[in-house]
Amino acid sequence: MTNHKTIEGVYGPGSYTDVTFIPVPQDCERVLKWVASTTPGFAKEPTLLKEVVFHGDDFPHIPGPLKPGVLSAVISAVAGITAREICKLKGFDTGPVSIDTDQAALFPASASLMSIGGKTGFEMAEDGSLWKLGTDLDKAALTKNPMHYRSWAFYQTKEVLPTYVYVMGSLDPASYLKAFGLDSEAPVKSNDEAYALLIPRLLPFSYRLTHDSYNLQKTVFSSYSAPEFELKCLELGVCGQTGHSPAAWRETLMGKRLAAHPLLNYKRVIEVPDLPPVPFPTTSDKRALAGIKIIEFSRVIAAPALGAVLTSFGAEVIKINSPYLPDPNALQITLTAGKSTQSADLNNPQDVERVRKLVEEADVVVQGFRKGAIERKGFGLNDVLAMANKRGKGIVYLDLSCYGPDGTYAERPGYQQIADAASGASYLCGSAYGFPAGTSVLPSLPIADMVAGLTGACEVLMALRDRAVHGGSYHCNTVLTSVDTIQCEKEFGLYSPEIVKRTQEKYNFAPMTPDLHVEDLLVGVLKAWAKGGLLENQAHYQRFDDSPFGKDHVILAPLVHFEDKQADPVCFMRLK
């Protein structure tokens, strides 16, 4: 296809900005063709691609230079096309795929686009009712005090040229801060005070926040450079990542290794016996994955989002929860919709045997823990392939990671924010918001997490399609950093400063700065969208009269729509 016309360097090294603005629906059509051309295993029938309809506003809705709304819409279209192929294998055609690009822009925020009894998630958080819904799964990991909260933020290092690293206390901030000689119980009264206290000890800048601008003043140089900080994190086995420019990330060994893999990365496992094709079950439910059983080992956002997409396509998804690992409670309200959940201690032989029996009956296993963790519990790729070989029926196994399936960073822990820092996505946002070169600011929504859920769902759909036709078992790899790096590619393109400015003027988003937690940014975006009327279209939501969380439960509806509405992805809430 023709190279997309861009200008290099507008937002710093390795950035590619569109020469002319392309309305969002047309941009989705262009990017879909490019993704299709670079994805092994994608649909070969040309009409399937041509019959996708994107519709919505011409102008973007998300702040910053990245195009997450376009990416959400395009990957949803890939999922829809593959589901259509599956339905053809089952004996009927769903008809063309339709994607609402305005709803796709909301998708990265969908974990927070919920309400119960007319009360939004943020209103429930403010009055305390959110934390009373079932078990306090996050065990107050971040909300315990301001020091915990500000253990997730960008801080500047001692390099002369501005360089930022993302400090991330994960879901155990107390241990993280202690490893750096910091008191997690320091007597600070606000998040801002905690940030100011962390600056001279961890990394070195202070700030003052005014009503109309955010100003940075360097005060004390830390003892850490960015490489020294990363080395410390490696020694401790904790999260931490330099905020690279896109060009700098591409030059790292890990960046080069990750670039060798496609965004949608699945393949048949050739080392196992040549197991026969597995036809899709015959059911009255016309959704593509009706009758398919999936086991999900996961927590937080990305892997649960993946399972949520698959259950909307009709799969039976069983989420395995650890009784000991923290998992943000609020996320369960949206990301477990339609699933059943089971608590299992994988150090307990009886629980292991119970989960093993579930896996033996499964078509798909999804796991979202760092490389090696699930293997040590007996449910790694080779363990599951052995079970599939014994039963004589192929299986699909998906690994979800931060950095990728191989390379020097493969075993490092990471979350969406780490991927944002590594890939250059945060660097681009800092530049677009007018900060000095080198300043990193998180993207305004958990884009890498949520879109990784979509990409993983596409891989599973393609692998199940191939299992039905060719037989065998399949291994999928979904990578948070890949979701960010594709948005930094020349063929994808970035919005120009003019478009960034016009989007800001349209919604008047609150200032976005290096200290802000992803939740701070998300709240600011949702408030601006609400004021601008973007959240009012009721067709974008799905409502349940009753759910395990309460009456009148509303979540964002699935993005894919077919001509045959009986095949549309939809969530059926499990009451128990």
Side-chain angles (χ1 to χ4, degrees):
M1 60 185 298
T2 305
N3 288 336
H4 180 50
K5 293 182 180 180
T6 59
I7 301 172
E8 187 173 358
V10 171
Y11 297 116
S15 64
Y16 298 96
T17 304
D18 292 354
V19 170
T20 57
F21 173 69
I22 305 172
V24 170
Q26 289 92 313
D27 209 19
C28 290
E29 294 174 3
R30 177 189 68 81
V31 173
L32 176 60
K33 293 177 183 177
W34 173 59
V35 169
S37 71
T38 58
T39 300
F42 190 67
K44 303 301 181 185
E45 188 179 334
T47 56
L48 293 178
L49 201 66
K50 293 178 181 178
E51 291 182 355
V52 175
V53 177
F54 295 102
H55 60 94
D57 289 349
D58 287 350
F59 212 72
H61 303 293
I62 299 173
L66 301 169
K67 298 179 180 177
V70 170
L71 186 60
S72 295
V74 166
I75 303 304
S76 295
V78 172
I81 290 170
T82 310
R84 186 180 181 186
E85 288 184 299
I86 289 172
C87 289
K88 285 188 174 184
L89 291 175
K90 295 169 76 170
F92 67 95
D93 188 1
T94 64
V97 177
S98 175
I99 306 291
D100 184 327
T101 57
D102 296 333
Q103 185 186 10
L106 302 181
F107 179 78
S110 59
S112 298
L113 284 172
M114 50 73 61
S115 65
I116 297 174
K119 189 183 297 184
T120 68
F122 293 113
E123 290 171 337
M124 294 166 66
E126 289 176 354
D127 68 15
S129 60
L130 180 63
W131 318 116
K132 297 177 182 178
L133 292 173
T135 305
D136 183 14
L137 293 174
D138 63 357
K139 305 183 189 302
L142 294 178
T143 57
K144 181 179 180 181
N145 62 44
M147 291 293 287
H148 279 220
Y149 198 75
R150 286 303 186 228
S151 70
W152 293 32
F154 274 111
Y155 294 90
Q156 189 178 347
T157 56
K158 73 179 183 182
E159 285 89 348
V160 175
L161 294 176
T163 304
Y164 285 69
V165 293
Y166 198 78
V167 171
M168 190 168 199
S170 188
L171 294 175
D172 186 11
S175 297
Y176 189 98
L177 294 172
K178 182 179 180 181
F180 285 93
L182 292 158
D183 181 7
S184 65
E185 303 291 337
V188 293
K189 297 179 181 179
S190 69
N191 291 334
D192 288 345
E193 278 189 40
Y195 192 63
L197 178 63
L198 289 171
I199 288 162
R201 290 299 308 280
L202 262 177
L203 306 159
F205 75 80
S206 67
Y207 69 95
R208 62 180 184 274
L209 183 62
T210 66
H211 70 284
D212 60 352
S213 67
Y214 183 92
N215 303 297
L216 302 179
Q217 283 188 316
K218 194 165 293 184
T219 54
V220 179
F221 280 97
S222 166
S223 60
Y224 292 105
S225 65
E228 289 167 347
F229 172 76
E230 284 207 46
L231 181 60
K232 178 75 170 178
C233 290
L234 281 169
E235 292 172 349
L236 296 171
V238 299
C239 294
Q241 174 61 55
T242 301
H244 290 299
S245 69
W249 171 249
R250 294 179 191 126
E251 288 303 311
T252 65
L253 275 174
M254 192 63 223
K256 292 177 180 178
R257 185 67 208 126
L258 183 59
H261 298 287
L263 173 67
L264 301 176
N265 184 16
Y266 83 103
K267 62 181 180 180
R268 184 171 179 174
V269 182
I270 60 174
E271 296 85 358
V272 302
D274 192 15
L275 299 173
V278 181
F280 284 94
T282 300
T283 66
S284 58
D285 187 340
K286 295 184 73 173
R287 292 178 296 168
L289 298 186
I292 294 295
K293 295 182 179 180
I294 298 174
I295 305 302
E296 176 193 305
F297 297 97
S298 69
R299 62 175 180 158
V300 194
I301 300 181
L306 193 165
V309 175
L310 294 174
T311 195
S312 74
F313 277 100
E316 176 190 354
V317 179
I318 301 173
K319 184 178 188 293
I320 305 299
N321 279 333
S322 167
Y324 306 115
L325 292 176
D327 199 8
N329 191 51
L331 302 176
Q332 311 309 311
I333 300 174
T334 52
L335 300 183
T336 61
K339 304 177 188 177
S340 60
T341 61
Q342 294 192 21
S343 178
D345 176 5
L346 297 185
N347 293 314
N348 181 319
Q350 290 182 332
D351 282 5
V352 168
E353 183 59 27
R354 173 166 55 86
V355 173
R356 181 177 291 275
K357 289 179 179 178
L358 292 173
V359 171
E360 288 174 348
E361 299 174 352
D363 297 285
V364 181
V365 171
V366 171
Q367 82 85 21
F369 294 93
R370 79 164 79 178
K371 189 177 181 69
I374 203 73
E375 285 87 345
R376 291 189 285 273
K377 306 299 183 183
F379 295 100
L381 172 64
N382 291 333
D383 302 302
V384 172
L385 289 175
M387 295 181 209
N389 295 341
K390 185 177 180 179
R391 73 185 185 184
K393 175 183 175 183
I395 199 163
V396 175
Y397 190 95
L398 185 141
D399 281 305
L400 190 149
S401 64
C402 178
Y403 291 107
D406 50 30
T408 53
Y409 285 20
E411 294 188 30
R412 290 184 66 180
Y415 291 77
Q416 164 235 310
Q417 297 91 327
I418 297 296
D420 294 341
S423 62
S426 293
Y427 184 104
L428 295 173
C429 289
S431 178
Y433 299 150
F435 289 102
T439 307
S440 290
V441 178
L442 287 176
S444 59
L445 300 171
I447 298 160
D449 268 336
M450 292 301 301
V451 179
L454 284 175
T455 61
C458 289
E459 293 169 14
V460 169
L461 285 161
M462 290 191 284
L464 287 170
R465 175 204 62 192
D466 288 2
R467 186 186 70 154
V469 175
H470 305 294
S473 290
Y474 294 81
H475 186 202
C476 309
N477 274 287
T478 300
V479 184
L480 298 178
T481 305
S482 293
V483 172
D484 280 334
T485 56
I486 192 175
Q487 297 177 83
C488 302
E489 291 293 326
K490 182 177 181 180
E491 285 292 346
F492 202 94
L494 300 165
Y495 289 125
S496 68
E498 178 188 358
I499 299 302
V500 172
K501 181 181 178 182
R502 287 177 60 188
T503 306
Q504 175 64 30
E505 290 172 346
K506 178 178 180 179
Y507 287 105
N508 192 28
F509 297 108
M512 298 182 188
T513 54
D515 64 308
L516 294 183
H517 193 287
V518 65
E519 185 173 300
D520 301 320
L521 297 164
L522 177 60
V523 170
V525 171
L526 291 182
K527 286 181 177 179
W529 281 349
K531 189 174 181 180
L534 184 62
L535 305 181
E536 295 177 359
N537 188 340
Q538 294 305 304
H540 292 162
Y541 303 94
Q542 186 174 351
R543 175 171 272 105
F544 309 98
D545 293 335
D546 198 5
S547 84
F549 302 100
K551 304 288 186 182
D552 191 20
H553 182 175
V554 178
I555 61 173
L556 192 73
L559 300 182
V560 175
H561 296 278
F562 296 113
E563 187 175 74
D564 183 348
K565 297 305 178 187
Q566 293 183 65
D568 272 5
V570 64
C571 176
F572 293 106
M573 185 68 72
R574 293 174 181 268
L575 293 180
K576 293 184 180 180

